[in-house]
Amino acid sequence: MQTIVLRNETDWDGWRRVTRGLILAGVAPQTLAWTIGGEATDATAGSGSFQVPRELVSLAALAIQAREADRFGLLYGLFWRLHQGEKLLGGDPDRDLATVRRMALAVRADAHRMRTHMRYLAVQEGGAARFVGWFEPAHFVLAANAQLIVRRFPDLALSIVTPDGAAHWDRRELRFGSGLRQVADDGALRAWWEAEHETLLRAAVPGVSVPEAEALDEIPRPPDRAPLGPVVLHPKSDPALRDSANEAAGCQRCPLYEPATQTVFGEGPADAVALFVGEQPGDQEDTIGRPFVGPAGQIMDRAMEEAGLDRRMVYVTNAVKHFKFSQRGKRRIHQTPEVPEIQACKFWLDVERVHLRPRLVVLMGGSAARAGLGRSVTISRERGRPMRAPDGQAVFVTVHPSYLLRIPDAAAKAREYEAFVRDLGAIKALIAAEDRV
Ligand code: URA
């Protein structure tokens, strides 16, 4: 019996190299034992290559992430039989192939769960935000999915923590290190991160071999929509609002929940002075699970800072809590929500407003204005002055920050940006005035 050592649980490169070499050297599956860790086997026995159907390579790339200890040998056996000339795909039902398919499906479902369940905690790191998420996967899906997530968000510092290990992205390099066994709540995760992050980040290493992200990119949704996990919100968030956020995670009040990754509820402190309402989460918000973290959020943050408004003092949400988009190739293109979608989601906006009782509701753009005022609004005509909603709530209409991003002419863009900062200044003054009453 020959023992083959792989570098880690998802050592796809190592497994492929060894498998190719040993199969070409005629080494039968029953003479091999597979293990993890220590000095990895250098398999240069056979030279050359052989063809494997793409479908089987993709299946293997998923199944190698399964937690079953016999997966390496099982996959070797399938590749061996192909090399012996057996027609595995499209032939009679095969027990080993069926097992591998089951493993691949379980890994897909787990990867999906990881992307939809994980909520991120924003922590400060040298003046910028790092998003830290914790997740307990059933399989070894961390490395491959961390690769996909950071490819999607190259500009965000991210840490994805699991009991098996953690992946850290600092906008340049993906590194892996030790994880965290259990997390009681977001407070425990924050405390652990604050105590350990320097050591963890220093000890993390690059270069964990994982199945190619390409092969995994289009992971279909499993048909069952498992209940969503706990929502990590602002540290000072209202517990009742937190319960509502958990409830909204399963919302099916309109069809937009179906293609979206997750409900993006609002966030901010329980004693927020103002409630800022946008339109709907964008591509990045949909994946991260937090409102206004993408380009629109960045320009909004900058303008707020210039106006002297602290984003941490306000609650930020959207009129519609699911991302509405059309798929064009790999890109998801934003689509404006329809009135019935805004009306269906008004339920959650009202929940947020009832819990927060804000002094002022800021409606950014047409969809937010429609939700807050219950009618269609021409922003250019009604922006920039205090108003009352039909129920008496103090509101203020302004442009949506994405509008600023879309203006092609630089001078016009600068002018509109200044006007937005002026509106935010007026909002700050209104909040202060309400404070004195
Ligand atoms: N645009 C919005 O309206 N909301 C977000 O959360 C992000 C972009």
Side-chain angles (χ1 to χ4, degrees):
M1 185 70 79
Q2 185 182 352
T3 299
I4 306 296
V5 183
L6 297 175
R7 283 200 300 152
N8 56 60
E9 295 286 2
T10 51
D11 186 0
W12 175 240
D13 287 345
W15 180 85
R16 287 230 293 199
R17 211 172 30 248
V18 169
T19 295
R20 188 186 311 120
L22 294 182
I23 287 180
L24 289 168
V27 179
Q30 55 277 18
T31 65
L32 298 175
W34 299 79
T35 177
I36 304 289
E39 185 84 8
T41 304
D42 179 20
T44 46
S47 58
S49 62
F50 62 94
Q51 289 291 316
V52 176
R54 217 189 144 139
E55 184 190 340
L56 200 59
V57 176
S58 299
L59 270 180
L62 285 167
I64 206 164
Q65 299 170 67
R67 209 167 276 273
E68 282 81 358
D70 61 352
R71 64 196 183 281
F72 303 115
L74 191 65
L75 290 169
Y76 184 92
L78 285 183
F79 278 42
W80 165 263
R81 285 168 55 202
L82 265 179
H83 188 248
Q84 301 289 309
E86 270 192 57
K87 186 168 177 289
L88 279 173
L89 299 169
D92 291 337
D94 182 88
R95 211 187 49 197
D96 287 351
L97 184 59
T99 307
V100 166
R101 281 197 199 283
R102 260 199 311 279
M103 286 180 180
L105 262 181
V107 166
R108 270 184 179 157
D110 203 33
H112 170 77
R113 221 162 54 84
M114 174 172 169
R115 293 187 208 170
T116 54
H117 281 213
M118 200 163 48
R119 289 286 177 143
Y120 295 83
L121 203 61
V123 295
Q124 282 301 307
E125 186 181 88
R130 173 179 285 270
F131 294 96
V132 181
W134 185 86
F135 178 72
E136 186 165 12
H139 298 285
F140 297 111
V141 295
L142 170 69
N145 285 281
Q147 227 187 6
L148 290 179
I149 292 171
V150 304
R151 214 171 51 186
R152 196 132 178 214
F153 301 116
D155 301 330
L156 297 181
L158 290 168
S159 285
I160 301 167
V161 183
T162 76
D164 298 318
H168 307 284
W169 171 246
D170 58 7
R171 303 185 191 90
R172 270 175 294 120
E173 191 178 31
L174 186 60
R175 294 186 300 146
F176 294 86
S178 50
L180 177 62
R181 189 126 294 282
Q182 262 183 344
V183 171
D185 52 29
D186 49 328
L189 179 61
R190 188 180 291 276
W192 173 79
W193 180 261
E194 277 168 9
E196 304 286 337
H197 71 277
E198 280 178 13
T199 320
L200 288 170
L201 292 175
R202 213 176 309 117
V205 292
V208 167
S209 140
V210 291
E212 293 109 341
E214 284 303 335
L216 308 170
D217 210 351
E218 292 309 320
I219 297 179
R221 279 166 169 259
D224 59 319
R225 295 178 66 89
L228 290 157
V231 177
V232 176
L233 287 174
H234 193 281
K236 282 203 297 177
S237 67
D238 177 339
L241 201 48
R242 197 180 284 241
D243 288 347
S244 299
N246 277 317
E247 211 186 304
C251 179
Q252 300 187 359
R253 299 178 78 89
C254 81
L256 293 186
Y257 78 91
E258 189 74 61
T261 307
Q262 59 192 310
T263 308
V264 179
F265 209 69
E267 63 174 25
D271 55 356
V273 284
L275 170 62
F276 275 68
V277 188
E279 181 185 80
Q280 59 164 341
D283 184 46
Q284 299 201 14
E285 287 80 10
D286 171 76
T287 311
I288 297 266
R290 305 173 68 111
F292 283 102
V293 291
Q298 280 155 25
I299 198 164
M300 183 180 84
D301 285 355
R302 183 152 66 86
M304 275 189 170
E305 204 179 314
E306 276 185 42
L309 263 174
D310 186 347
R311 173 159 170 181
R312 286 167 304 177
M313 302 296 290
V314 305
Y315 185 94
V316 177
T317 192
N318 284 297
V320 171
K321 308 285 193 267
H322 282 113
F323 179 34
K324 181 175 182 183
F325 61 93
S326 60
Q327 190 82 43
R328 240 175 265 158
K330 291 200 168 179
R331 293 187 60 217
R332 301 192 299 171
I333 311 293
H334 161 274
Q335 285 193 312
T336 306
E338 306 286 341
V339 172
E341 291 151 355
I342 295 172
Q343 280 166 346
C345 219
K346 176 77 174 8
F347 174 83
W348 294 115
L349 189 57
D350 286 343
V351 166
E352 291 173 300
R353 202 156 61 85
V354 164
H355 283 307
L356 292 163
R357 303 164 137 273
R359 288 177 214 159
L360 185 66
V361 173
V362 179
L363 305 168
M364 299 186 292
S367 299
R370 146 80 58 189
L373 293 170
R375 59 179 170 84
S376 121
V377 173
T378 306
I379 302 297
S380 56
R381 225 176 18 230
E382 306 202 34
R383 74 179 289 183
R385 57 190 160 86
M387 300 162 72
R388 293 273 165 194
D391 61 3
Q393 169 72 55
V395 300
F396 189 102
V397 173
T398 187
V399 295
H400 190 285
S402 306
Y403 157 72
L404 306 172
L405 296 171
R406 288 195 303 268
I407 302 173
D409 176 64
K413 198 188 194 102
R415 266 197 314 276
E416 283 301 315
Y417 176 77
E418 287 311 318
F420 183 51
V421 174
R422 271 199 306 281
D423 279 358
L424 293 173
I427 288 163
K428 186 181 173 204
L430 275 174
I431 295 167
E434 292 265 342
D435 203 17
R436 284 197 295 270
V437 176

mmCIF file of all heavy atoms in Angstrom, residues 264 277-286 290-297 311 316-320 334 364 367-368 400-402, ligand 1:
data_model
loop_
_atom_site.group_PDB
_atom_site.id
_atom_site.type_symbol
_atom_site.label_atom_id
_atom_site.label_comp_id
_atom_site.label_asym_id
_atom_site.label_seq_id
_atom_site.Cartn_x
_atom_site.Cartn_y
_atom_site.Cartn_z
ATOM 1 N N VAL A 264 -31.605 42.523 2.357
ATOM 2 C CA VAL A 264 -30.654 43.468 2.966
ATOM 3 C C VAL A 264 -31.471 44.432 3.816
ATOM 4 O O VAL A 264 -32.123 45.342 3.298
ATOM 5 C CB VAL A 264 -29.835 44.219 1.899
ATOM 6 C CG1 VAL A 264 -28.878 45.203 2.554
ATOM 7 C CG2 VAL A 264 -29.068 43.230 1.033
ATOM 8 N N VAL A 277 -33.169 56.683 3.558
ATOM 9 C CA VAL A 277 -33.751 55.624 2.728
ATOM 10 C C VAL A 277 -33.239 55.738 1.299
ATOM 11 O O VAL A 277 -33.357 56.801 0.666
ATOM 12 C CB VAL A 277 -35.301 55.728 2.719
ATOM 13 C CG1 VAL A 277 -35.909 54.514 2.033
ATOM 14 C CG2 VAL A 277 -35.848 55.877 4.129
ATOM 15 N N GLY A 278 -32.656 54.639 0.791
ATOM 16 C CA GLY A 278 -32.240 54.581 -0.608
ATOM 17 C C GLY A 278 -33.265 53.808 -1.411
ATOM 18 O O GLY A 278 -34.415 53.638 -0.981
ATOM 19 N N GLU A 279 -32.857 53.291 -2.551
ATOM 20 C CA GLU A 279 -33.810 52.588 -3.399
ATOM 21 C C GLU A 279 -33.863 51.098 -3.081
ATOM 22 O O GLU A 279 -34.861 50.561 -2.619
ATOM 23 C CB GLU A 279 -33.421 52.778 -4.871
ATOM 24 C CG GLU A 279 -34.381 52.097 -5.812
ATOM 25 C CD GLU A 279 -33.916 52.189 -7.244
ATOM 26 O OE1 GLU A 279 -33.024 51.394 -7.635
ATOM 27 O OE2 GLU A 279 -34.440 53.063 -7.962
ATOM 28 N N GLN A 280 -32.749 50.412 -3.332
ATOM 29 C CA GLN A 280 -32.675 48.961 -3.119
ATOM 30 C C GLN A 280 -31.189 48.596 -3.055
ATOM 31 O O GLN A 280 -30.347 49.349 -3.559
ATOM 32 C CB GLN A 280 -33.330 48.225 -4.278
ATOM 33 C CG GLN A 280 -32.673 48.533 -5.617
ATOM 34 C CD GLN A 280 -33.046 47.551 -6.715
ATOM 35 O OE1 GLN A 280 -33.507 46.462 -6.459
ATOM 36 N NE2 GLN A 280 -32.818 47.943 -7.953
ATOM 37 N N PRO A 281 -30.840 47.447 -2.458
ATOM 38 C CA PRO A 281 -29.426 47.069 -2.428
ATOM 39 C C PRO A 281 -28.883 46.895 -3.843
ATOM 40 O O PRO A 281 -29.611 46.502 -4.745
ATOM 41 C CB PRO A 281 -29.414 45.740 -1.668
ATOM 42 C CG PRO A 281 -30.834 45.287 -1.589
ATOM 43 C CD PRO A 281 -31.696 46.484 -1.786
ATOM 44 N N GLY A 282 -27.604 47.193 -4.018
ATOM 45 C CA GLY A 282 -26.951 46.951 -5.307
ATOM 46 C C GLY A 282 -26.264 45.595 -5.279
ATOM 47 O O GLY A 282 -26.438 44.804 -4.337
ATOM 48 N N ASP A 283 -25.449 45.355 -6.290
ATOM 49 C CA ASP A 283 -24.761 44.068 -6.437
ATOM 50 C C ASP A 283 -23.926 43.724 -5.193
ATOM 51 O O ASP A 283 -24.005 42.629 -4.651
ATOM 52 C CB ASP A 283 -23.868 44.164 -7.681
ATOM 53 C CG ASP A 283 -23.173 42.858 -7.996
ATOM 54 O OD1 ASP A 283 -23.842 41.819 -7.977
ATOM 55 O OD2 ASP A 283 -21.949 42.869 -8.237
ATOM 56 N N GLN A 284 -23.137 44.691 -4.723
ATOM 57 C CA GLN A 284 -22.265 44.420 -3.577
ATOM 58 C C GLN A 284 -23.070 44.262 -2.291
ATOM 59 O O GLN A 284 -22.794 43.376 -1.483
ATOM 60 C CB GLN A 284 -21.254 45.552 -3.400
ATOM 61 C CG GLN A 284 -20.363 45.712 -4.611
ATOM 62 C CD GLN A 284 -19.065 46.450 -4.290
ATOM 63 O OE1 GLN A 284 -18.702 46.620 -3.137
ATOM 64 N NE2 GLN A 284 -18.355 46.860 -5.308
ATOM 65 N N GLU A 285 -24.088 45.092 -2.123
ATOM 66 C CA GLU A 285 -24.919 45.013 -0.919
ATOM 67 C C GLU A 285 -25.621 43.666 -0.869
ATOM 68 O O GLU A 285 -25.751 43.052 0.196
ATOM 69 C CB GLU A 285 -25.966 46.136 -0.918
ATOM 70 C CG GLU A 285 -25.414 47.524 -0.630
ATOM 71 C CD GLU A 285 -24.765 48.185 -1.843
ATOM 72 O OE1 GLU A 285 -24.906 47.643 -2.961
ATOM 73 O OE2 GLU A 285 -24.117 49.243 -1.683
ATOM 74 N N ASP A 286 -26.062 43.186 -2.027
ATOM 75 C CA ASP A 286 -26.772 41.908 -2.112
ATOM 76 C C ASP A 286 -25.874 40.761 -1.632
ATOM 77 O O ASP A 286 -26.325 39.845 -0.960
ATOM 78 C CB ASP A 286 -27.188 41.673 -3.570
ATOM 79 C CG ASP A 286 -27.741 40.287 -3.807
ATOM 80 O OD1 ASP A 286 -28.894 40.045 -3.416
ATOM 81 O OD2 ASP A 286 -27.014 39.444 -4.370
ATOM 82 N N ARG A 290 -25.358 44.028 3.555
ATOM 83 C CA ARG A 290 -25.446 45.300 4.293
ATOM 84 C C ARG A 290 -25.756 46.431 3.313
ATOM 85 O O ARG A 290 -25.255 46.409 2.188
ATOM 86 C CB ARG A 290 -24.122 45.609 4.980
ATOM 87 C CG ARG A 290 -23.626 44.505 5.880
ATOM 88 C CD ARG A 290 -22.244 44.843 6.358
ATOM 89 N NE ARG A 290 -22.335 45.993 7.246
ATOM 90 C CZ ARG A 290 -22.106 45.930 8.546
ATOM 91 N NH1 ARG A 290 -21.782 44.795 9.087
ATOM 92 N NH2 ARG A 290 -22.201 46.990 9.300
ATOM 93 N N PRO A 291 -26.558 47.429 3.759
ATOM 94 C CA PRO A 291 -26.913 48.505 2.833
ATOM 95 C C PRO A 291 -25.766 49.481 2.598
ATOM 96 O O PRO A 291 -24.941 49.701 3.493
ATOM 97 C CB PRO A 291 -28.072 49.206 3.560
ATOM 98 C CG PRO A 291 -27.813 48.964 4.998
ATOM 99 C CD PRO A 291 -27.148 47.605 5.095
ATOM 100 N N PHE A 292 -25.718 50.044 1.424
ATOM 101 C CA PHE A 292 -24.786 51.123 1.079
ATOM 102 C C PHE A 292 -23.321 50.822 1.436
ATOM 103 O O PHE A 292 -22.681 51.608 2.134
ATOM 104 C CB PHE A 292 -25.244 52.444 1.719
ATOM 105 C CG PHE A 292 -26.397 53.062 0.982
ATOM 106 C CD1 PHE A 292 -27.689 52.955 1.466
ATOM 107 C CD2 PHE A 292 -26.204 53.730 -0.219
ATOM 108 C CE1 PHE A 292 -28.769 53.506 0.774
ATOM 109 C CE2 PHE A 292 -27.278 54.279 -0.914
ATOM 110 C CZ PHE A 292 -28.556 54.173 -0.416
ATOM 111 N N VAL A 293 -22.827 49.690 0.983
ATOM 112 C CA VAL A 293 -21.392 49.410 1.171
ATOM 113 C C VAL A 293 -20.639 49.514 -0.156
ATOM 114 O O VAL A 293 -19.417 49.497 -0.186
ATOM 115 C CB VAL A 293 -21.140 48.012 1.796
ATOM 116 C CG1 VAL A 293 -21.596 47.952 3.226
ATOM 117 C CG2 VAL A 293 -21.771 46.901 0.959
ATOM 118 N N GLY A 294 -21.358 49.615 -1.274
ATOM 119 C CA GLY A 294 -20.721 49.683 -2.591
ATOM 120 C C GLY A 294 -20.424 51.122 -3.003
ATOM 121 O O GLY A 294 -20.324 52.013 -2.152
ATOM 122 N N PRO A 295 -20.278 51.376 -4.308
ATOM 123 C CA PRO A 295 -19.900 52.714 -4.787
ATOM 124 C C PRO A 295 -20.863 53.813 -4.344
ATOM 125 O O PRO A 295 -20.409 54.900 -3.957
ATOM 126 C CB PRO A 295 -19.924 52.564 -6.316
ATOM 127 C CG PRO A 295 -19.829 51.093 -6.569
ATOM 128 C CD PRO A 295 -20.388 50.388 -5.385
ATOM 129 N N ALA A 296 -22.182 53.560 -4.355
ATOM 130 C CA ALA A 296 -23.134 54.598 -3.936
ATOM 131 C C ALA A 296 -22.923 54.917 -2.457
ATOM 132 O O ALA A 296 -22.963 56.084 -2.038
ATOM 133 C CB ALA A 296 -24.572 54.140 -4.179
ATOM 134 N N GLY A 297 -22.675 53.885 -1.660
ATOM 135 C CA GLY A 297 -22.435 54.069 -0.227
ATOM 136 C C GLY A 297 -21.163 54.864 0.014
ATOM 137 O O GLY A 297 -21.101 55.703 0.923
ATOM 138 N N ARG A 311 -22.153 58.995 9.825
ATOM 139 C CA ARG A 311 -23.019 57.906 9.356
ATOM 140 C C ARG A 311 -23.377 56.959 10.503
ATOM 141 O O ARG A 311 -24.422 56.324 10.503
ATOM 142 C CB ARG A 311 -22.349 57.144 8.204
ATOM 143 C CG ARG A 311 -23.136 55.898 7.815
ATOM 144 C CD ARG A 311 -22.857 55.368 6.440
ATOM 145 N NE ARG A 311 -23.481 54.048 6.279
ATOM 146 C CZ ARG A 311 -23.411 53.307 5.202
ATOM 147 N NH1 ARG A 311 -22.766 53.730 4.155
ATOM 148 N NH2 ARG A 311 -23.995 52.122 5.144
ATOM 149 N N VAL A 316 -29.478 53.546 8.125
ATOM 150 C CA VAL A 316 -29.503 53.560 6.659
ATOM 151 C C VAL A 316 -30.253 52.330 6.162
ATOM 152 O O VAL A 316 -29.969 51.206 6.595
ATOM 153 C CB VAL A 316 -28.051 53.546 6.107
ATOM 154 C CG1 VAL A 316 -28.056 53.492 4.588
ATOM 155 C CG2 VAL A 316 -27.303 54.779 6.583
ATOM 156 N N THR A 317 -31.206 52.551 5.276
ATOM 157 C CA THR A 317 -31.971 51.420 4.759
ATOM 158 C C THR A 317 -32.395 51.689 3.316
ATOM 159 O O THR A 317 -31.970 52.672 2.700
ATOM 160 C CB THR A 317 -33.172 51.121 5.681
ATOM 161 O OG1 THR A 317 -33.731 49.860 5.319
ATOM 162 C CG2 THR A 317 -34.262 52.203 5.578
ATOM 163 N N ASN A 318 -33.236 50.824 2.781
ATOM 164 C CA ASN A 318 -33.714 50.969 1.407
ATOM 165 C C ASN A 318 -35.230 50.800 1.345
ATOM 166 O O ASN A 318 -35.819 50.110 2.184
ATOM 167 C CB ASN A 318 -33.067 49.907 0.521
ATOM 168 C CG ASN A 318 -31.626 50.263 0.207
ATOM 169 O OD1 ASN A 318 -31.358 51.271 -0.433
ATOM 170 N ND2 ASN A 318 -30.698 49.449 0.692
ATOM 171 N N ALA A 319 -35.835 51.405 0.306
ATOM 172 C CA ALA A 319 -37.280 51.261 0.108
ATOM 173 C C ALA A 319 -37.610 49.800 -0.196
ATOM 174 O O ALA A 319 -38.639 49.280 0.227
ATOM 175 C CB ALA A 319 -37.736 52.155 -1.045
ATOM 176 N N VAL A 320 -36.728 49.137 -0.937
ATOM 177 C CA VAL A 320 -36.913 47.734 -1.318
ATOM 178 C C VAL A 320 -35.716 46.956 -0.777
ATOM 179 O O VAL A 320 -34.577 47.380 -0.944
ATOM 180 C CB VAL A 320 -37.026 47.609 -2.857
ATOM 181 C CG1 VAL A 320 -37.009 46.166 -3.303
ATOM 182 C CG2 VAL A 320 -38.296 48.308 -3.338
ATOM 183 N N HIS A 334 -28.541 46.418 -12.571
ATOM 184 C CA HIS A 334 -29.591 46.987 -11.715
ATOM 185 C C HIS A 334 -30.867 47.270 -12.505
ATOM 186 O O HIS A 334 -30.812 47.770 -13.628
ATOM 187 C CB HIS A 334 -29.040 48.288 -11.109
ATOM 188 C CG HIS A 334 -30.104 49.202 -10.589
ATOM 189 N ND1 HIS A 334 -30.767 50.118 -11.372
ATOM 190 C CD2 HIS A 334 -30.627 49.330 -9.346
ATOM 191 C CE1 HIS A 334 -31.640 50.778 -10.647
ATOM 192 N NE2 HIS A 334 -31.572 50.327 -9.406
ATOM 193 N N MET A 364 -33.932 59.414 -0.436
ATOM 194 C CA MET A 364 -32.925 59.674 -1.485
ATOM 195 C C MET A 364 -33.390 59.038 -2.799
ATOM 196 O O MET A 364 -33.348 57.816 -2.962
ATOM 197 C CB MET A 364 -31.571 59.095 -1.049
ATOM 198 C CG MET A 364 -31.044 59.715 0.247
ATOM 199 S SD MET A 364 -29.389 59.160 0.659
ATOM 200 C CE MET A 364 -29.674 57.455 1.059
ATOM 201 N N SER A 367 -37.512 56.245 -5.869
ATOM 202 C CA SER A 367 -38.153 55.077 -5.241
ATOM 203 C C SER A 367 -38.371 55.318 -3.745
ATOM 204 O O SER A 367 -39.425 54.985 -3.194
ATOM 205 C CB SER A 367 -37.293 53.821 -5.432
ATOM 206 O OG SER A 367 -37.150 53.547 -6.794
ATOM 207 N N ALA A 368 -37.358 55.935 -3.095
ATOM 208 C CA ALA A 368 -37.493 56.221 -1.663
ATOM 209 C C ALA A 368 -38.602 57.243 -1.444
ATOM 210 O O ALA A 368 -39.409 57.119 -0.507
ATOM 211 C CB ALA A 368 -36.165 56.733 -1.107
ATOM 212 N N HIS A 400 -30.577 60.561 -5.124
ATOM 213 C CA HIS A 400 -29.944 59.304 -4.733
ATOM 214 C C HIS A 400 -28.448 59.399 -5.062
ATOM 215 O O HIS A 400 -28.081 59.907 -6.121
ATOM 216 C CB HIS A 400 -30.582 58.142 -5.511
ATOM 217 C CG HIS A 400 -30.148 56.823 -4.974
ATOM 218 N ND1 HIS A 400 -28.899 56.305 -5.213
ATOM 219 C CD2 HIS A 400 -30.777 55.934 -4.172
ATOM 220 C CE1 HIS A 400 -28.790 55.146 -4.588
ATOM 221 N NE2 HIS A 400 -29.922 54.899 -3.951
ATOM 222 N N PRO A 401 -27.570 58.932 -4.145
ATOM 223 C CA PRO A 401 -26.135 59.053 -4.439
ATOM 224 C C PRO A 401 -25.710 58.388 -5.755
ATOM 225 O O PRO A 401 -24.744 58.840 -6.388
ATOM 226 C CB PRO A 401 -25.443 58.399 -3.234
ATOM 227 C CG PRO A 401 -26.514 57.870 -2.351
ATOM 228 C CD PRO A 401 -27.824 58.431 -2.783
ATOM 229 N N SER A 402 -26.408 57.335 -6.215
ATOM 230 C CA SER A 402 -26.018 56.699 -7.496
ATOM 231 C C SER A 402 -26.196 57.661 -8.667
ATOM 232 O O SER A 402 -25.516 57.539 -9.681
ATOM 233 C CB SER A 402 -26.890 55.487 -7.828
ATOM 234 O OG SER A 402 -26.903 54.611 -6.810
HETATM 235 N N1 URA B 1 -28.230 51.903 -3.777
HETATM 236 C C1 URA B 1 -29.233 51.893 -2.870
HETATM 237 O O1 URA B 1 -30.275 52.508 -3.064
HETATM 238 N N2 URA B 1 -29.061 51.227 -1.748
HETATM 239 C C2 URA B 1 -27.975 50.557 -1.471
HETATM 240 O O2 URA B 1 -27.915 49.938 -0.403
HETATM 241 C C3 URA B 1 -26.928 50.578 -2.416
HETATM 242 C C4 URA B 1 -27.083 51.253 -3.567
#
